[in-house]
């Protein structure tokens, strides 16, 4: 295999050296290639003499990094440790050294069980460091690492500066969790980055396109509607952060996260109008995206279907009755049927249907025409290209997969034919009575052709069954191939495109050779980077603006200075698309400016790196800062503190709770247990449930079986219901709880559960932090659990002498009788053979067995009193049951 000779750029060398000489957190602008810096650190440490762990890397990113290292000839390659390896195999791999990709859950368990020699670890590389919060598994790993290893390095990477602007001192808290003291900031406007990339600029051609008058009218109407909904949302909820809820943010992709962050904690308290306003904003943002992204038929379909469904059910906050909504519907219809059908007010259904039955006048997207002109210009330039370089390939980058599919059909079939096919399909769907929003356009991209280097010749399905005159995409491409000269076909077959991205559309056009690739929604996060390196295009058409890909093109051009590159930038002037792109640039710049100010005022203690022996951050003393101190102990000898321990099931390490328990000074022992999730003491067993898991377990009956097992083998079974701190602390959103028992009601099921299992205790915790504190309080003054005993208890096992001697059904029957309780039932079962013998005993004899005259009288009166026989009582069978003994029953599950 040929080795790759790609070198680091000048500013990348500076990044690498800064982080190599002193541990820290490096934050770069998106698209500058943070993965290239990580890749060079992996090259450096791929040696058996080192033991380097890589955290927070997805499986796709692992595959990409290993593939890049393999191309550069690095040996030995990093190993990926998953649950497919046994414990002994993992220990052997750790001892072999090198770079290891390990999942966080496996690494935590191996650290706690000392399968991983922590003191031998050379260092840890943390990717996507903005996700490292105090309660996550990666922060737990860093704490365990620094407790036993004071010499290893920690290097963290992030390319999401905006993530560090959320919350108070977020970047400082992340550095505290990572045990690093240095912060390296590399924005796009960094002097080194600007000076280097400016010397290797690609040839950029900006094409500013004008929206059609109908598109401008639709955009204006949609922005007015969004503005009206935003104002109404603020009026109904005065407590919202008005700086974040704006029309400018509403057109961005992160608006739903902004809304959810503010409204989720109080969602159960919101009125129906507020909830509907949030839903309406989502709907309007979807329509706005369709306006500039897709064709006029798809846009009209979604507008018309949403209006129909809203009118049918009346589920709107009032925006449908505004003048802007009428303008939106009229101009959306005008793009399909022409200006002759324009009306200021919405027509009746009868008039509208008659208008829609005539021949449509379909408005093509302005970008389609501009794209065709660009490709024609490239084709002419390729004809006059330098023979030594050859004709250049074209890469078209569009927003998503559906846009790529429409571009492909436009290039293969023409704009009018594509629009007519979509229109006929929409009419067929309407005739069939289907009212699913955007159903017709969705059909047009189901049969796309994608794959590794495959052409689109096998793509395409029959479009509409009712239209025999239509030609499928496969037939069109076959005809196009038949029309090609034989020399061109031979040349095309001899020069295949070796592409490794599974998301691209390859071989869309033969002259020039054109490749389509989506910018978002790819199955491979590095698909565009792979395509650039594999295809090596000389022409790139940015059909949709994307800040990250623009910078990737800059890095690609700087990495290949001898390869010509021209970038065509298509943008609607004065559109939402343009504003969204500019807002993205502005927000990243503001995020870096805030980080620069925070770095200048940040006070970092000397012991932040965790390398001091008595680092206070690594101490696990749980004494509260405001705890009162007893100063009157005199000469009393101090009691020796007992180190508490909790046994935790392996599957629980997916949650935050084990990390927080360990943080409070309690040792945790990870084992695989069948009964319960946490064993606090030999008597206390806890089954932890989130709210969603609780509802699912109640529906499936799994919780009942778990409570049976816990009640049978532990004296104090506990059901812990743990809530998400960002969600409301309530099981039901209703303002009142019904007094009637309903099998569908969660509270009713919980009530029945507590009635059936009288020993079961239910604990409610608003967050994992409260749970960890509660566990610590429950363990005060109690003995420590035994892991061997907890592992021996299984759903099929029998624990204790009573379980071996007596049937559980007999014990449950006896406990139902008056005078019998959990403290004296075993005396009856030890002294009396069966129920028939119990009936023959006198009250005094029963009193001697139970050790209580009152309990004996209650039981004797119950057994010898006359009870009225009900009509439903079944005769027979009672003698046989009373003659059987307590002993000898086999437990049945």
């Amino acid at each position: 295999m040929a080795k790759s000779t790609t070198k680091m750029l000048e500013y990348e060398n500076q990044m690498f050296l800064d982080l190599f000489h002193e541990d820290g957190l490096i934050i770069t602008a998106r698209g500058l290639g943070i993965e290239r810096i990580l890749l060079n650190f992996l090259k450096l440490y791929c040696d058996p003499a080192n033991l380097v762990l890589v955290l927070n890397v997805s499986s796709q990113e692992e595959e990409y990094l290993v593939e890049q290292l393999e191309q550069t000839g690095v040996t030995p390659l990093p190993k990926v440790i998953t649950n497919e390896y046994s414990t002994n195999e993992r220990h052997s791999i750790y001892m072999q050294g090198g770079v290891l990709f390990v999942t966080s859950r496996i690494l935590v368990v191996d650290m706690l069980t000392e399968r991983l020699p922590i003191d031998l670890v050379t260092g840890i590389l943390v990717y996507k460091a903005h996700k490292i919060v105090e309660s996550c598994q990666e922060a737990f790993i860093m704490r365990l690492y620094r407790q036993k290893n004071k010499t290893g390095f920690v290097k963290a990477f992030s390319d999401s500066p905006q993530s560090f602007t959320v919350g108070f001192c977020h970047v400082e808290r992340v550095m505290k969790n990572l045990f690093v003291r240095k912060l390296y900031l590399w924005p796009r406007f960094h002097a080194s980055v600007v000076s280097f990339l400016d010397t290797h600029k690609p040839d950029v051609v900006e094409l500013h396109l004008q929206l059609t008058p109908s598109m401008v009218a639709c955009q204006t109407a949609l922005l007015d509607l969004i503005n009206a909904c935003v104002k109404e949302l603020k009026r109904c909820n005065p407590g919202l952060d008005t700086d974040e809820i704006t029309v400018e943010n509403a057109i961005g992709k992160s608006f739903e996260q902004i809304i959810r962050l503010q409204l989720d904690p109080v969602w159960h308290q919101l009125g129906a109008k507020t909830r509907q306003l949030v839903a309406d904003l989502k709907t309007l943002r979807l329509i706005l995206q369709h306006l500039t992204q897709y064709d006029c038929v798809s846009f009209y379909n979604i507008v018309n279907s949403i209006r129909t469904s809203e009118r049918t059910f009346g589920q709107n906050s009032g925006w449908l009755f505004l003048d802007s909504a009428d303008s939106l519907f009229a101009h959306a219809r005008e793009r399909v049927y022409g200006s002759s059908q324009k009306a200021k007010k919405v027509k009746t259904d009868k008039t509208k249907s008659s208008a829609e039955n005539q021949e449509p006048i379909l408005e093509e997207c302005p970008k389609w025409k501009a794209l065709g002109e660009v490709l024609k210009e490239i084709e002419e330039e390729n004809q006059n290209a330098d023979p030594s370089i050859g004709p250049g390939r074209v890469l078209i980058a569009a927003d998503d997969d559906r846009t790529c599919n429409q571009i492909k059909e436009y290039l293969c079939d023409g704009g009018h034919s594509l629009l007519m096919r979509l229109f006929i399909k929409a009419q067929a769907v309407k005739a069939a009575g289907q009212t699913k929003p955007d159903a017709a356009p969705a059909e047009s991209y189901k049969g796309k052709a994608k794959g590794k280097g495959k052409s689109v010749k096998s793509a395409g399905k029959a479009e509409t069954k009712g239209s025999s005159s239509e030609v499928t995409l496969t037939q069109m491409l076959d005809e196009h191939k038949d029309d090609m000269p034989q020399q061109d076909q031979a040349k095309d077959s001899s020069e295949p495109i070796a592409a490794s991205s599974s998301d691209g559309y390859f071989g869309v056009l033969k002259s020039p050779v054109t490749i389509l690739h989506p910018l978002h929604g790819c199955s491979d996060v590095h698909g565009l980077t792979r395509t650039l390196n594999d295809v090596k295009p000389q022409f790139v058409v940015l059909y949709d603006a994307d800040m990250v890909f623009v910078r990737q093109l800059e890095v690609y051009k700087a990495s290949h200075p001898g390869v010509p590159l021209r970038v065509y930038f298509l943008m609607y002037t004065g559109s939402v698309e343009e504003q969204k792109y500019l807002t993205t640039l502005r927000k990243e710049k503001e995020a870096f400016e805030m980080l620069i100010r925070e770095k200048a005022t940040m006070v970092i203690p000397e012991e932040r790196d965790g390398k001091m022996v008595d680092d206070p951050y690594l101490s696990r003393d749980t004494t509260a800062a405001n705890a009162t101190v007893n100063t009157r102990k005199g000469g009393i000898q101090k009691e020796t503190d007992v180190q508490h321990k909790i046994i935790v099931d392996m599957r629980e390490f997916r949650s935050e709770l084990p990390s927080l328990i360990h943080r409070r000074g309690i040792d945790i022992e990870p084992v695989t247990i069948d009964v319960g999730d946490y064993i606090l003491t030999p008597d206390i067993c806890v089954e932890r449930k989130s709210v969603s898991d609780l509802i699912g377990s109640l529906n499936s009956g799994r919780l009942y079986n778990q409570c049976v097992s816990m009640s049978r083998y532990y004296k104090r079974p506990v059901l812990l219901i743990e809530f998400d701190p960002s969600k409301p602390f309530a099981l039901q959103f209703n303002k009142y709880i019904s007094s009637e028992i309903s099998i569908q009601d969660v509270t009713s099921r919980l009530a029945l559960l507590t009635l059936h299992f009288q020993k079961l205790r239910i604990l409610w915790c608003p967050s994992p932090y409260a749970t960890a504190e509660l566990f610590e309080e429950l363990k005060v003054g109690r003995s420590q659990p035994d892991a061997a005993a907890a592992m021996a208890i299984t759903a099929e096992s029998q624990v204790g002498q009573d379980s071996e001697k007596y049937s559980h059904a007999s014990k449950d029957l006896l406990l139902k009788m008056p005078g019998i309780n959990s403290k004296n039932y075993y005396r009856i079962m030890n002294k009396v053979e069966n129920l028939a013998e119990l009936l023959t005993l006198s009250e005094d004899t029963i009193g001697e067995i139970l050790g209580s005259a009152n309990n004996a009288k209650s039981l004797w009166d119950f057994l010898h009193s006359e009870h009225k026989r009900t009509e439903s009582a079944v005769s027979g069978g009672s003698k046989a049951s009373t003659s059987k003994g307590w002993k000898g029953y086999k437990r049945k599950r």
Side-chain angles (χ1 to χ4, degrees), residues 555-719:
V555 173
Y556 171 78
K557 172 60 178 175
S559 303
H560 304 79
V563 178
L565 178 65
R566 182 185 300 170
V567 179
Y568 291 90
F569 206 96
L570 306 185
M571 177 81 75
Y572 287 123
T573 303
S575 67
V576 172
E577 176 190 36
E578 182 182 29
Q579 183 60 45
K580 190 187 303 183
Y581 178 72
L582 296 176
T583 301
T584 305
L585 293 173
R586 178 181 59 80
K587 285 191 172 183
E588 187 188 78
K589 181 183 177 183
E590 291 175 352
F592 268 115
E593 288 174 348
M594 194 198 81
L595 288 173
I596 291 170
R597 290 193 300 268
E598 192 169 346
K599 179 182 178 181
T601 59
M602 192 183 300
V603 178
I604 302 176
E606 289 290 335
E607 63 273 9
R608 172 61 57 80
D609 55 7
K611 295 182 179 181
M612 295 179 61
V613 178
D614 55 347
D615 185 358
Y617 186 66
L618 290 174
S619 65
R620 298 166 62 199
D621 184 13
T622 59
T623 305
N626 58 352
T628 57
V629 180
N630 187 359
T631 60
R632 305 188 63 181
K633 293 182 180 179
I636 300 177
Q637 185 178 1
K638 184 180 178 180
E639 296 180 2
T640 57
D641 294 333
V642 178
Q643 179 58 44
H644 292 298
K645 179 179 72 172
I646 292 179
I647 297 171
V648 184
D649 185 30
M650 290 280 196
R651 291 162 292 226
E652 281 298 304
F653 282 92
R654 297 186 181 94
S655 68
E656 302 174 343
L657 187 54
S659 171
L660 299 176
I661 292 174
H662 186 271
R663 183 70 183 271
R664 297 193 68 85
I666 302 174
D667 289 341
I668 56 179
E669 188 170 350
V671 296
T672 302
I673 52 179
D674 288 348
V675 178
D677 294 327
Y678 298 86
I679 310 298
L680 306 187
T681 70
D683 297 333
I684 301 178
C685 173
V686 179
E687 179 71 29
R688 187 187 69 90
K689 297 286 183 186
S690 63
V691 176
S692 58
D693 191 17
L694 173 70
I695 296 172
S697 299
L698 285 171
N699 292 334
S700 64
R702 183 162 51 94
L703 182 57
Y704 176 84
N705 296 329
Q706 291 171 337
C707 291
V708 167
S709 301
M710 288 195 300
S711 302
R712 187 161 292 167
Y713 304 127
Y714 292 94
K715 294 182 180 179
R716 294 182 178 86
V718 176
L719 173 62

Side-chain angles (χ1 to χ4, degrees), residues 366-379:
K367 280 190 179 182
W368 289 359
K369 182 179 179 181
L371 178 63
E373 293 175 354
V374 167
L375 293 177
K376 186 176 180 181
E377 176 185 331
I378 293 173
E379 184 178 3

Side-chain angles (χ1 to χ4, degrees), residues 50-98:
N50 300 316
L51 177 55
V52 177
L53 306 174
V54 186
L55 301 181
N56 220 16
V57 181
S58 66
S59 57
Q60 291 181 353
E61 290 163 341
E62 290 170 358
E63 181 183 350
Y64 173 78
L65 292 171
V66 172
E67 177 185 324
Q68 294 298 313
L69 290 173
E70 187 177 5
Q71 290 178 4
T72 56
V74 173
T75 55
L77 291 172
K79 299 182 181 64
V80 180
I81 297 181
T82 61
N83 54 6
E84 297 178 357
Y85 292 97
S86 65
T87 56
N88 294 331
E89 289 174 339
R90 293 205 299 268
H91 178 73
S92 176
I93 293 175
Y94 292 141
M95 299 307 295
Q96 293 174 8

Side-chain angles (χ1 to χ4, degrees), residues 22 25 28 145 185 187 216 304 317 324 356 477 512 530 770 799 846:
E22 191 167 359
L25 166 63
T28 69
Y145 169 66
L185 300 177
V216 172
N304 192 44
S317 56
S324 298
E356 292 180 357
L477 289 178
R530 293 177 190 267
V799 177
I846 295 175

Side-chain angles (χ1 to χ4, degrees), residues 437-454:
D438 213 18
E443 291 290 331
S444 65
Y445 67 97
K446 284 185 177 178
K448 62 181 182 138
K450 298 195 301 181
K452 297 184 178 181
K454 295 180 180 178

Side-chain angles (χ1 to χ4, degrees), residues 2-8 43 71-72 559:
K3 295 184 179 181
S4 175
T5 57
T6 303
K7 296 181 180 180
M8 284 194 296
K43 291 180 186 177
Q71 290 178 4
T72 56
S559 303

